[in-house]
Amino acid sequence: MKHLTKITAASLVLLFGAALSYAAPASENWENHCTKCHGADGKGQTKVGKKLQLKDYTDAKVQAEMKDDEIINVIAQGITDKAGKEKMKAYKPELSDDEIKDLLAYVRKLKA
Ligand code: HEC
């Protein structure tokens, strides 16, 4: 019995560790956090996206204008307009650095 308790405790630690280090795949994060505005295809043709006049991320020209570190910064820190109103929120509190990097790669792959 004592033995069993030890094993149970050990597996709990393992399980907990796995849960903490869980990183959602970029496609899942894109779907959950980004498509509402940018659209599943990244064209920004959603109701909110049209209102915000989002750029079309399938457009090679738009992609060329964006720098990698800019994209990372935007996802991590968000965007506010000149009046300080939030246009896109900061995802740093919810997403790990790796998840943000994966999203950068995901956004790059939206290019048609
Ligand atoms: C509430 C709507 C909204 C959501 C949700 C949202 N964004 Fe944005 N995003 C914006 C706005 C507004 C801009 C600025 C306008 C533009 O660049 O087209 C922007 C800009 C960007 C840019 C362009 C940065 C640049 O350098 O021009 C990228 C890349 C981006 N968002 C990625 C994401 C990702 C990835 C997510 C999900 C984690 C996300 N966005 C979620 C509204 C949103």
Side-chain angles (χ1 to χ4, degrees), residues 29-30 33-38 48 52-55 57 65-67 70-71 74-75 79 87-89 91 95 103 107:
N29 280 330
W30 176 259
H33 301 293
C34 323
T35 53
K36 185 171 59 123
C37 296
H38 292 284
V48 203
L52 293 169
Q53 295 180 305
L54 294 189
K55 294 176 199 154
Y57 298 147
E65 280 165 3
M66 302 192 290
K67 305 251 171 343
E70 244 172 57
I71 295 180
V74 164
I75 302 172
I79 299 179
K87 290 174 77 186
M88 175 175 152
K89 73 170 185 172
Y91 285 93
L95 303 175
L103 273 171
V107 167

Side-chain angles (χ1 to χ4, degrees), residues 25-97:
S27 55
E28 206 172 285
N29 280 330
W30 176 259
E31 173 71 36
N32 289 339
H33 301 293
C34 323
T35 53
K36 185 171 59 123
C37 296
H38 292 284
D41 55 7
K43 289 186 179 175
Q45 290 302 305
T46 62
K47 210 168 143 199
V48 203
K50 282 182 191 159
K51 217 171 97 192
L52 293 169
Q53 295 180 305
L54 294 189
K55 294 176 199 154
D56 178 357
Y57 298 147
T58 64
D59 185 334
K61 222 179 109 218
V62 169
Q63 285 277 355
E65 280 165 3
M66 302 192 290
K67 305 251 171 343
D68 281 0
D69 53 349
E70 244 172 57
I71 295 180
I72 296 270
N73 266 337
V74 164
I75 302 172
Q77 316 294 342
I79 299 179
T80 45
D81 67 12
K82 285 189 205 99
K85 200 171 158 274
E86 183 183 276
K87 290 174 77 186
M88 175 175 152
K89 73 170 185 172
Y91 285 93
K92 184 102 180 138
E94 298 170 51
L95 303 175
S96 68
D97 288 353

